[in-house]
Amino acid sequence: MSAFILTQVYYELLKPQRFAVAFYEATHRIVAVIFFGWVIFAFHNLRSGTVFRWLFSHPLWQPIARLSLSIYLVHDIYIIMSVTNLKSLAYFDISWFLHIVAGDLIISTILASLLFLFIEVPSGKLLNHFLNHCPILILIS
């Protein structure tokens, strides 16, 4: 969130040149992936960041981790449906953007919970049942 706010402030106050914008657009995703990869590597392999390791290994994150696949599968469909149902042109500013993102996040999480409860959990139980009780599937896997 802080990176988003700093980027918005940078664009609003400094009005960067075309080269700076093009360079940012070409490299920001690669730099973000490298940064997150380093954070994961440092936390897991180097055993650094004791406060952050404690925070991210807290059981509070388990439901979110279990819902992450369902949120990933649902959010694109929901966003496409919400954008195509706009009746008029929207003026894009930061407050509108934050309002829409918060609503999309909440509704995508609710839809993902339904998907998880009604499809993912029963299919996982069926798969475990078949793998435990069908000898032919054990030989194949």
Side-chain angles (χ1 to χ4, degrees), residues 54-121:
W54 172 82
L55 177 70
F56 291 133
S57 65
H58 197 272
L60 173 73
W61 294 105
Q62 268 191 342
I64 297 170
R66 290 185 183 194
L67 283 178
S68 63
L69 175 65
S70 299
I71 292 172
Y72 174 73
L73 293 174
V74 165
H75 86 279
D76 267 344
I77 297 167
Y78 174 73
I79 289 173
I80 290 170
M81 286 174 34
S82 66
V83 168
T84 55
N85 286 330
L86 287 176
K87 302 285 187 225
S88 63
L89 295 175
Y91 176 71
F92 294 102
D93 64 344
I94 187 104
S95 63
W96 183 86
F97 180 75
L98 290 175
H99 173 74
I100 294 300
V101 167
D104 289 349
L105 182 64
I106 291 168
I107 293 175
S108 294
T109 304
I110 292 169
L111 292 173
S113 300
L114 294 173
L115 177 73
F116 181 77
L117 289 174
F118 292 121
I119 295 176
E120 199 171 333
V121 171

Side-chain angles (χ1 to χ4, degrees), residues 1-13 24-25 28-29 32 35-36 92-102:
M1 192 66 168
S2 62
F4 173 73
I5 291 171
L6 288 175
T7 304
Q8 285 299 114
V9 168
Y10 174 72
Y11 274 106
E12 293 297 323
L13 293 180
Y24 172 76
E25 292 294 330
H28 78 280
R29 292 182 188 214
F35 172 73
F36 286 122
F92 294 102
D93 64 344
I94 187 104
S95 63
W96 183 86
F97 180 75
L98 290 175
H99 173 74
I100 294 300
V101 167

Side-chain angles (χ1 to χ4, degrees), residues 27-37:
T27 59
H28 78 280
R29 292 182 188 214
I30 296 168
V31 171
V33 167
I34 291 170
F35 172 73
F36 286 122

Side-chain angles (χ1 to χ4, degrees), residues 36-49 52-53:
F36 286 122
W38 172 253
V39 168
I40 292 169
F41 174 78
F43 284 175
H44 185 70
N45 291 334
L46 301 179
R47 304 286 185 212
S48 63
F52 293 111
R53 286 179 49 139

